[in-house]
Structures are given as structure tokens and as C-alpha cells.
Amino acid sequence: MNGGGEGLAAPATSGAAVSPLEWKFSQVFGERTAGEEVQEVDIISAIEFDRTGEHLATGDRGGRVVLFERTDIKDHGGHRRDLERMDYSISRHPEFRYKTEFQSHEPEFDYLKSLEIEEKINKIRWCQTANGALFLLSTNDKTIKYWKVQEKKIKKVCEMNVDASKSMENGAVASSMSASSKPYLANGACKDRPVSSPSNDTSFPALHLPVVVTSQETSLVARCRRVYAHAHDYHINSISNNSDGETFISADDLRINLWNLEISNQSFNIVDVKPANMEDLTEVITSAEFHPTHCNTLAYSSSKGSIRLIDLRQSALCDTHSKLFEEQEAPGSRSFFTEIIASISDIKFAKNGRHILSRDYMTLKLWDINMDSGPVATFQVHEHLRPKLCDLYENDSIFDKFECCLSGDGHRVGTGSYSNLFRVFGCSEGSTEATTLEASKNPMRRQVQTPARPSRSLGNLPRVLRRGADNSGADANGNSFDFTTKLLHLAWHPSENSIACAASNSLYMYYA
């Protein structure tokens, strides 16, 4: 198998080659109209499916979390709990709808450090559901919050002291008195009834106090259960749930902390790479994630392009790794940009825990945790940009942090690029699959005609590019790359070939 012209040590996954997928547009949420200006706070900064794929969460730079739910289901019993899932193999395509949203984080100011803390959501992670409620973690640069979202029955006030049949629209007691054949006095007594003294209250009518009752109507309520704060000196770049369902980690540039979901005022520092003298600092932590099934194992990546696997059973402070994964630098290939583009922006474990996928600026790499000599597969995402690294450095694009994802079956990997492109590669033995799609172009809407970027004909969607063939310095349309539009965030459905990806403030859904 070849990932863009490079020789590989071993196949990523064994078995017969899997035929390439044909990707189709499914849905878009928050799409711009032509010429509409996008507000900074509306730009999506995080995407995450839950374990079942029934729900999808997005976070934005305005500190909001938006939840979507799966809707391609059929009704067998009329009641929500009787709904059964359709056979997805015959379903038209997966459909999601807006469920609810809530303000997760607000802008803050650290007076001790004279530092503004943005409300931008850096990461979202789903937790285990319980009693029909949804639980998730969200974090900005400094503070992690634990949210519970559930349906609550609406409570209404009834049994007021005023007779509704006799009162007017304004509800005034005086009006009801004039309209009644037996007007009531202010104290609730009737004119036709003698008003007794307090000592003889047998004929005194009962005073009706307002009563709050629960109706059958429901509304979704998001409540912050816990706030995990004041544990990081640097910006949080990762949070990850443990498979034990009780703990999670948070990572910043120099430290990784272990938390218990039930305890918000205490965390344990399990990794600390901060040197005694900060002038000796050579690398920082860029991403961290728990193993999907082994609660004692986690991995974290660094700005030098290495991945370290650590075992929590070895010691309380895991500064020494159990395995180190890094690719040896080719002799004579070092340049000013080598270390910058080697920095890993995201890592993901495969669902079976056997492989780790990493994304650096130029490539995707797939690693076998049982083989630390080098990656088992390397996929060139936009190799034709290598001659333009100087320009990318000048406009800071070289520091963009692209995320990566794997399919649930482990046969494919995906990541984003510029011009709102996302790329999908097959990683089965013998696979040559390498698909490029522009997320923000779809056949469901009219294409905007511009001289610089002419619209794509439907026959060209999707366009399949073989590995190593994407060297033109252009996007799928054959046009020059647009570095102002970039697809940084995407997520793969846990059990189906469905991808959610964010381009600016728009959420695009594709399926195959």
C-alpha cells in the first residue's frame, strides 16, 4: 500500500481490499447566503458524535454548544419511547435535526495574570447517558464544565382564587364580581352568605391558594452539574473520557491532569513535561486521548511529531512513557519549517484500540501500538503546498490545527484541508482509495458564480483522486487553494460511513 508515494513498513489493516466509497451530500446547518458576513462568534470550533451516533454536538467561538439528534426513525407505537430505528441499509440517508443549544462558557478576565479568557469551545466529549438524560463535557482555554441535558415537564399555575368562568380577560376580581349573579367579596365570601366571625368559621368559604401542577408538555433543559477550574496554567487543548465511565483527563501545553467526574475541586497531575528552567523547553503537549477500552492506557502527542503511550499502573507521575512512536528524519531533509510542520495537531485511537491516527500539517499517519519503529501508513494530504511553506508561514496558515478521524470499522481515515476540502483515504491492505470533496459545495443549492471559483457541475461531485495524484497545487475544481477557507473540524459516525464537518459557521453532513 502506498500513501502518496512513500514506502510503508506494513499494511495498516489486514484483509481484502475494500472498494472506494461514493460520498453524497446529506444536510447542511447554518449555511450562509451569498455575500452574508459571518460573525466570529458563530464559527464552529468543535464537533463530536456520541457513542451511539444518535446525537451530535458542536461548539462555537461564542461559547455555545448546539445539539442535534438523529431523526430517520419510524413510529411503531406513537410514543417516543416506542420509536424503533429504521433499517439504515434501506434508509434514504441519515438525517439529523436541531435539538437544543445552551451557553456553555462566557468570556472571563483573569485579574491575577491580566489575561482575557475567550469563551470559545475547544473540545466537546460525550459522557455516558443515564435515565434518558444526556451528559457531556465542554471546555474553553481554562475551564471544563459537565452538562446534563434532559426533558423536563413544564409546570403551570392553576386553581387560583378567582373563578375563571366569571373573570374577565384582565383577571380582575372586581370585574368578576359585577358579572356574577352571586358576587364574591374581597375576602372570598358571597353576598348571599352571612359573613361569620373568625371564632365561628363553619360557613366561611375556603381560600384557594395557587397550585403548581405538572403538565404533559416538555422542554429541554441544560444544567451545569460541575465546573472543573483553576487546574491549568496554560491553554487546555484536549479532554478525553476514560472507558471506566468515572474519570477523564485534561491536557494543556505542559501538563495532563486526571479528574473524577464527581469531584470538581481536585485533580491529579499525571504528566508534567515542564523543565526546571523554561529556557530548556523543547516541546509541548499538543493532544491527548484515553485508550478506548483499556482504562489504564492513554497517549499524548507533542510538537516534535512524537506520540507517547503511558501506563497509569506504572507510577503516579507518568513522565516516563511505556512506548514512543516517532518517525526518523530523512538525512539532508531538514529545513527551517521541518519542526513546525512535524507538530502533531490531533491524535485519535481506532475503535479497537490497536491503531493511533495522527495529523501533522502535511500528512496523516497511522501507527500500530505494537510497532514503534515507524508509522504503518502515511497519507499525503496536500503535499503540493510544500513549495509554498514560506508563504504559509508569513500568513500564519502553517500553524493551523487540523483534526483527524477514523471510521468505526477502521478501514478509512479522514481529515480536512484548505478550500473547505476534506479527504478520505482507505487504509486496508491493497487499498488505493483517496477521495477529495469540497464540503461547502453540494448539489442541493444553486452554485454562486464567481470569476475566481466557477461552480462545479454535478457530474464532478464527488471527484475521486488517487493517492499521489493530488499534486497540482489546486483544489478539486482545479483552482488555486483558498487559505482563508479551511476545514479544521470533522467527526466520523461511530458505526456508519457518515461524516460531519465544519466550514466556518456551517455544519455539513456527508454519507456513503
Side-chain angles (χ1 to χ4, degrees):
M1 183 179 64
N2 192 307
E6 294 189 6
L8 303 174
T13 55
S14 59
V18 181
S19 58
L21 295 176
E22 182 182 352
W23 291 91
K24 303 180 186 71
F25 170 78
S26 175
Q27 288 174 281
V28 58
F29 296 94
E31 189 178 32
R32 286 180 292 170
T33 57
E36 180 185 353
E37 186 178 351
V38 176
Q39 300 296 318
E40 181 80 8
V41 294
D42 294 329
I43 295 176
I44 296 173
S45 56
I47 301 179
E48 185 79 3
F49 279 105
D50 70 352
R51 288 185 179 181
T52 64
E54 303 290 309
H55 295 92
L56 175 68
T58 66
D60 62 27
R61 294 188 184 180
R64 291 165 298 190
V65 172
V66 182
L67 304 186
F68 301 88
E69 65 178 350
R70 190 81 178 255
T71 59
D72 48 320
I73 48 181
K74 58 184 177 181
D75 192 345
H76 283 286
H79 198 277
R80 188 173 182 84
R81 63 172 172 263
D82 297 322
L83 293 177
E84 294 183 8
R85 181 144 307 285
M86 290 178 68
D87 181 359
Y88 288 137
S89 62
I90 62 173
S91 176
R92 184 170 65 90
H93 62 77
E95 289 184 0
F96 284 81
R97 71 178 174 194
Y98 169 87
K99 186 178 180 73
T100 188
E101 68 179 84
F102 56 90
Q103 189 70 33
S104 176
H105 287 73
E106 300 279 0
E108 301 174 47
F109 189 81
D110 188 335
Y111 292 96
L112 293 176
K113 297 181 178 178
S114 295
L115 183 69
E116 288 186 6
I117 303 172
E118 289 184 336
E119 66 272 36
K120 179 187 130 185
I121 305 296
N122 290 341
K123 294 289 179 182
I124 295 173
R125 291 292 180 264
W126 290 90
C127 304
Q128 293 180 354
T129 58
N131 299 324
L134 304 174
F135 295 87
L136 61 155
L137 292 166
S138 62
T139 184
N140 65 352
D141 287 339
K142 295 290 183 180
T143 306
I144 308 161
K145 294 185 179 181
Y146 184 44
W147 291 91
K148 178 181 181 181
V149 181
Q150 67 178 150
E151 285 189 346
K152 290 272 192 181
K153 290 190 174 180
I154 298 173
K155 293 183 177 180
K156 294 183 176 180
V157 177
C158 68
E159 295 189 24
M160 297 291 287
N161 202 35
V162 179
D163 190 342
S165 64
K166 299 183 179 68
S167 62
M168 302 295 287
E169 288 186 2
N170 60 8
V173 175
S175 300
S176 67
M177 287 173 61
S178 62
S180 173
S181 59
K182 293 184 179 181
Y184 289 88
L185 301 176
N187 63 359
C190 180
K191 272 188 177 181
D192 294 353
R193 247 185 230 173
V195 179
S196 306
S197 63
S199 59
N200 183 19
D201 57 357
T202 55
S203 61
F204 200 87
L207 180 64
H208 294 291
L209 295 175
V211 176
V212 178
V213 297
T214 303
S215 71
Q216 294 302 312
E217 296 179 46
T218 60
S219 66
L220 279 165
V221 177
R223 187 164 64 91
C224 184
R225 295 287 304 274
R226 285 175 189 83
V227 177
Y228 312 90
H230 313 301
H232 288 277
D233 292 329
Y234 304 94
H235 291 176
I236 298 171
N237 55 50
S238 303
I239 51 175
S240 179
N241 297 86
N242 198 348
S243 58
D244 62 10
E246 298 178 358
T247 56
F248 71 93
I249 55 169
S250 59
D252 65 20
D253 290 345
L254 298 179
R255 294 187 176 94
I256 300 177
N257 293 333
L258 178 68
W259 301 84
N260 188 300
L261 280 167
E262 302 298 323
I263 303 170
S264 60
N265 60 357
Q266 184 181 31
S267 64
F268 297 94
N269 180 224
I270 55 174
V271 174
D272 189 347
V273 299
K274 184 178 181 180
N277 184 356
M278 284 295 284
E279 292 182 358
D280 298 330
L281 182 67
T282 58
E283 62 181 333
V284 296
I285 299 168
T286 56
S287 183
E289 183 165 281
F290 261 118
H291 190 282
T293 55
H294 298 165
C295 61
N296 57 284
T297 304
L298 62 93
Y300 70 90
S301 59
S302 82
S303 57
K304 276 193 168 181
S306 62
I307 301 172
R308 290 173 172 83
L309 202 67
I310 63 175
D311 191 335
L312 297 176
R313 298 171 297 184
Q314 289 184 342
S315 64
L317 189 62
C318 303
D319 286 345
T320 56
H321 52 267
S322 57
K323 283 189 178 180
L324 174 66
F325 304 94
E326 59 183 356
E327 191 170 24
Q328 298 301 317
E329 192 177 302
S333 63
R334 189 166 184 82
S335 70
F336 173 78
F337 304 108
T338 299
E339 200 163 301
I340 299 175
I341 63 175
S343 177
I344 295 175
S345 56
D346 190 28
I347 60 170
K348 291 285 193 310
F349 270 101
K351 196 173 183 180
N352 61 8
R354 173 70 184 270
H355 295 91
I356 298 174
L357 180 67
S358 67
R359 171 69 204 264
D360 56 44
Y361 187 70
M362 300 297 289
T363 65
L364 276 173
K365 292 186 174 75
L366 194 67
W367 309 78
D368 188 326
I369 64 171
N370 295 326
M371 191 179 80
D372 53 8
S373 59
V376 294
T378 300
F379 309 96
Q380 306 291 353
V381 180
H382 39 221
E383 179 64 20
H384 55 272
L385 295 182
R386 194 172 292 275
K388 301 176 178 159
L389 289 179
C390 189
D391 295 334
L392 293 165
Y393 179 79
E394 290 294 328
N395 63 22
D396 286 340
S397 294
I398 201 170
F399 301 106
D400 287 333
K401 300 183 186 304
F402 292 93
E403 294 179 359
C404 58
C405 59
L406 298 97
S407 61
D409 57 15
H411 292 319
R412 294 172 181 85
V413 296
T415 191
S417 182
Y418 294 103
S419 295
N420 291 338
L421 298 179
F422 70 89
R423 303 205 69 194
V424 176
F425 300 94
C427 53
S428 300
E429 185 177 2
S431 174
T432 57
E433 181 177 359
T435 305
T436 301
L437 280 171
E438 186 173 356
S440 54
K441 295 284 187 182
N442 62 71
M444 306 298 288
R445 66 182 172 113
R446 183 180 302 168
Q447 305 296 337
V448 180
Q449 296 282 352
T450 58
R453 301 183 66 184
S455 62
R456 172 190 301 183
S457 64
L458 299 186
N460 291 334
L461 186 77
R463 175 172 177 174
V464 178
L465 302 177
R466 298 301 175 190
R467 300 180 210 218
D470 191 17
N471 298 316
S472 61
D475 62 17
N477 282 331
N479 303 314
S480 299
F481 263 70
D482 179 4
F483 299 114
T484 62
T485 58
K486 58 197 78 170
L487 199 151
L488 301 177
H489 312 285
L490 75 170
W492 202 302
H493 190 283
S495 57
E496 300 173 26
N497 288 319
S498 175
I499 289 179
C501 49
S504 186
N505 67 319
S506 302
L507 175 66
Y508 294 92
M509 311 285 291
Y510 278 80
Y511 73 104

